[in-house]
Amino acid sequence: MNKLFGFALAAVLAVVSRAPAQDLGPRPVTIVVPYPAGGVTDGMARLLAEKVQAGLDHTIIVENVAGGSGSIGVGRVARAAPDGHTLILGNVE
């Protein structure tokens, strides 16, 4: 059974190829933090944005949208265009 599984896995991996990434275009990527500036989540978002910006060579903006226990920021991202330019970074308490 293990040999059959290994053979099937090798066959699938041989066929699967990497998909090319889409170009982000000239617009910046926005990471929405649904909490006030200066908190732990804001600090994590800024560190993450710095590393991703260096890796992608693309502008990353961290935007704090506080209020409503996070629901205002989440709602803003939910209504954004589904193009990958608006992300959210939150936490679960």
Side-chain angles (χ1 to χ4, degrees), residues 1-84:
M1 178 84 172
N2 278 340
K3 287 184 179 182
L4 180 61
F5 177 75
F7 179 73
L9 181 63
V12 168
L13 292 176
V15 173
V16 174
S17 64
R18 293 181 63 183
Q22 286 182 299
D23 183 29
L24 288 173
R27 290 186 10 208
V29 172
T30 302
I31 299 175
V32 174
V33 177
Y35 304 109
V40 175
T41 308
D42 178 53
M44 287 176 37
R46 294 183 188 280
L47 288 172
L48 177 70
E50 182 180 325
K51 296 293 183 184
V52 171
Q53 185 168 317
L56 290 179
D57 195 29
H58 195 76
T59 304
I60 309 284
I61 297 171
V62 175
E63 182 178 345
N64 296 87
V65 183
S69 297
S71 64
I72 294 175
V74 171
R76 183 183 178 286
V77 174
R79 288 185 301 276
D83 58 3

